[in-house]
Amino acid sequence: MLTADSGAFVASSTRFEQLRAREFSRLDAGGHTYLDYTGSALYPDRLVADHATMLRSAVLGNPHSESPASLASTALIGEARARVLRFFEAEPDEYVACFTANTSGAIQLVGSAFAFGTDAPLILSVDNHNSVNGMREHAARAGAPVHYLPLDADLRLHDVASRLEVLRQTHVGAGLVAFPAQSNFSGVQHPLALVRKARSLGYTVLLDAAAFVPTSPLSLREVPADFVVCSFYKMFGYPTGIGVLVARREALHRLRRPSFAGGTVEYVSVQHGTHLLRDGAEGFEDGTANFLAIGAVVQGLDFLDEVGLPSIKRHTSRLARRLADELRALTHRDGAPLVRVYGPDDHYDRGGTIAFNVLDGRGRVVPYDMVERRARTERISVRGGCFCNPGASETAFQFVPDRAALCLDETRRAGWSLLDFAARMRERDASHGVGAVRASFGVPSNETEVERLVALVRGMR
Ligand SMILES: Cc1ncc(COP(=O)(O)O)c(C=O)c1O
């Protein structure tokens, strides 16, 4: 008998299958299993078609002038700014949207212009993408302390509110706290309440939403971060080359840009060695904006709103849960586990991303590149490696600091390669991996793709 729950599940699955058939038919036509949405979403057919239609009828010029073609581009950029703010429920009185090349570019804008100092530290979570970790170089140059908030063994942030309170007592000035809303390693969704907590302690907060917003709704009314960063290709697959820094006006005003470029200035005088930076978002947008692609940002956000992020979240989390449960249930013939799934055993506060390793009959990790290679022959796209997230990797793989330092040193001297580093680490202890396999889900994903990946792993017994 169909219960209300199972009825809703069937209706939702049918809707996503219909979307897959209508907008992503190239997947089945090419025999693809695509499971790397944390790497990049896939674009719906409709998005490129609608964008092409728009481009074919528009006359768009470089926005830095007053011609009709230029004004048309300026209007398009203005429309995109307003649409981005509406998408994140960010009040235009409080927030601005600065377009960048990608998430990394948006983080770089903040890192290079934040007033770090001996009394204004940078506080990062151990779970961070390297583009966030990279800010520590700016902090170090300013003599600012850098602190890391640790992860539990299940890759959730550990006791984070009280740690921040303790840290706050160690300095007078306020610093910058940066963490991801969702881990690009484990799919764990970190507590967004940390944003209000850190702000209440006087910190400025950068929320890396790159892995979160493609499949989860984010409201800046509820989560009042100072800076939010993301890339649009991760949300709807097209266009690449545009990201955004959504910034609280007051926090943006406190940044001090280390340089200027065309487009960011009201004037520059060579004679007098002076310049005047433009106000607001435009003071942070170096050079000519991607004015041809920006119209697709509006159309892509419309697409996500139409499908509905709450249902995308349910859809992707359900598939991830099924994958994790089925992988965990796989065993060798003697009952020993075939797979180690990283992150929490429960599925609470977790997005549609699963990282795992295959184990051999003696409990040793099978190198991730072997799994990747097998997947490639079956046209299964998964991601292998450390996913630019060294902190989550080191915690998940339980790196012993002395041993890791030795292997890092040896591999650097021999000419760096992650695979060589992994081999050196394995020589010393084969029960822990270096690098894993990541499967992540998006709008077009379906049960068949889960089954294909599980069958591939089962075949490695
Ligand atoms: C959580 C997170 N932050 C930042 C980035 C960097 O994004 P981009 O390469 O688009 O700059 C990524 C990319 O995978 C990510 O997953």
Side-chain angles (χ1 to χ4, degrees):
M1 198 182 72
L2 211 63
T3 62
D5 270 2
S6 63
F9 164 68
V10 171
S12 156
S13 292
T14 308
R15 184 166 164 251
F16 279 99
E17 282 297 356
Q18 286 166 348
L19 256 174
R20 179 179 172 104
R22 196 174 64 234
E23 300 292 347
F24 305 93
S25 58
R26 60 194 190 278
L27 280 169
D28 291 327
H32 287 281
T33 298
Y34 184 83
L35 293 171
D36 189 18
Y37 291 87
T38 300
S40 172
L42 296 179
Y43 48 82
D45 275 2
R46 192 178 94 186
L47 179 55
V48 280
D50 288 354
H51 187 228
T53 303
M54 190 272 272
L55 288 179
R56 292 176 74 189
S57 63
V59 177
L60 299 167
N62 187 309
H64 296 152
S65 73
E66 299 295 321
S67 67
S70 176
L71 292 174
S73 296
T74 304
L76 210 52
I77 294 169
E79 189 192 341
R81 281 194 215 287
R83 185 66 183 92
V84 168
L85 293 185
R86 190 151 53 83
F87 186 81
F88 291 117
E89 296 188 336
E91 294 299 331
D93 287 353
E94 285 180 67
Y95 284 97
V96 291
C98 313
F99 289 112
T100 59
N102 45 36
T103 305
S104 306
I107 294 166
Q108 181 66 15
L109 282 179
V110 177
S112 64
F114 192 82
F116 292 117
T118 46
D119 205 30
L122 172 63
I123 301 176
L124 300 170
S125 82
V126 161
D127 185 354
N128 256 322
H129 191 275
N130 272 338
S131 296
V132 178
N133 284 321
M135 285 198 298
R136 71 188 189 195
E137 300 301 300
H138 293 293
R141 217 165 290 131
V146 178
H147 302 284
Y148 274 103
L149 302 168
L151 294 174
D152 280 339
D154 65 0
L155 306 185
R156 293 193 190 277
L157 279 173
H158 181 75
D159 196 16
V160 70
S162 50
R163 272 175 194 271
L164 259 191
E165 278 173 11
V166 172
L167 266 176
R168 189 64 186 92
Q169 288 160 19
T170 64
H171 56 93
V172 178
L176 181 69
V177 171
F179 73 102
Q182 177 171 321
S183 170
N184 69 320
F185 183 98
S186 62
V188 163
Q189 297 191 330
H190 295 301
L192 293 176
L194 183 57
V195 169
R196 277 188 197 275
K197 176 72 194 176
R199 292 193 79 235
S200 75
L201 292 170
Y203 291 109
T204 302
V205 179
L206 183 149
L207 184 68
D208 177 0
F212 182 87
V213 288
T215 54
S216 293
L218 178 67
S219 162
L220 298 197
R221 228 176 268 150
E222 287 164 26
V223 181
D226 296 279
F227 301 113
V228 175
V229 295
C230 62
S231 297
F232 293 110
Y233 71 89
K234 288 194 190 289
M235 298 175 75
F236 33 82
Y238 174 87
T240 47
I242 307 188
V244 72
L245 168 67
V246 180
R248 194 172 269 287
R249 287 176 183 275
E250 164 274 319
L252 194 74
H253 202 67
R254 279 188 277 121
L255 297 180
R256 289 286 165 262
R257 292 216 68 190
S259 64
F260 59 84
T264 62
V265 279
E266 296 291 353
Y267 80 85
V268 177
S269 168
V270 170
Q271 211 171 41
H272 301 287
T274 56
H275 73 276
L276 178 63
L277 212 60
R278 297 180 82 168
D279 236 9
E282 288 168 342
F284 287 78
E285 291 173 340
D286 292 327
T288 303
N290 193 342
F291 61 92
L292 291 183
I294 211 145
V297 169
V298 175
Q299 295 167 331
L301 294 174
D302 288 349
F303 173 78
L304 280 188
D305 268 346
E306 203 180 299
V307 181
L309 274 162
S311 49
I312 296 173
K313 182 175 177 174
R314 279 193 297 277
H315 172 67
T316 50
S317 297
R318 190 176 47 73
L319 291 170
R321 182 177 319 160
R322 178 174 171 199
L323 176 65
D325 289 347
E326 294 201 10
L327 289 177
R328 280 202 192 94
L330 293 176
T331 55
H332 286 280
R333 291 180 215 293
D334 65 356
L338 178 63
V339 177
R340 182 179 296 150
V341 175
Y342 298 103
D345 286 340
D346 58 70
H347 293 279
Y348 182 68
D349 282 345
R350 195 155 184 200
T353 298
I354 299 294
F356 65 94
N357 269 317
V358 176
L359 305 176
D360 70 12
R362 290 160 62 188
R364 295 174 307 191
V365 168
V366 174
Y368 71 85
D369 54 308
M370 272 181 63
V371 185
E372 249 187 329
R373 217 174 306 140
R374 287 264 195 126
R376 215 160 31 238
T377 62
E378 307 267 333
R379 293 202 150 213
I380 299 178
S381 296
V382 283
R383 174 84 190 264
C386 292
F387 327 130
C388 294
N389 190 329
S393 303
E394 287 159 359
T395 311
F397 308 141
Q398 298 176 16
F399 277 15
V400 178
D402 290 355
R403 187 187 308 149
L406 195 71
C407 294
L408 280 174
D409 192 44
E410 282 175 10
T411 316
R412 267 175 92 139
R413 273 190 278 117
W416 177 259
S417 136
L418 178 62
L419 290 176
D420 291 348
F421 171 68
R424 283 195 173 85
M425 290 287 281
R426 256 196 318 275
E427 267 168 30
R428 290 175 167 86
D429 178 2
S431 63
H432 295 295
V434 176
V437 181
R438 182 183 73 191
S440 50
F441 296 92
V443 170
S445 304
N446 67 8
E447 309 280 345
T448 309
E449 291 182 305
V450 174
E451 287 157 17
R452 285 194 194 129
L453 181 58
V454 172
L456 175 105
V457 173
R458 189 185 295 114
M460 296 189 74
R461 273 203 289 229

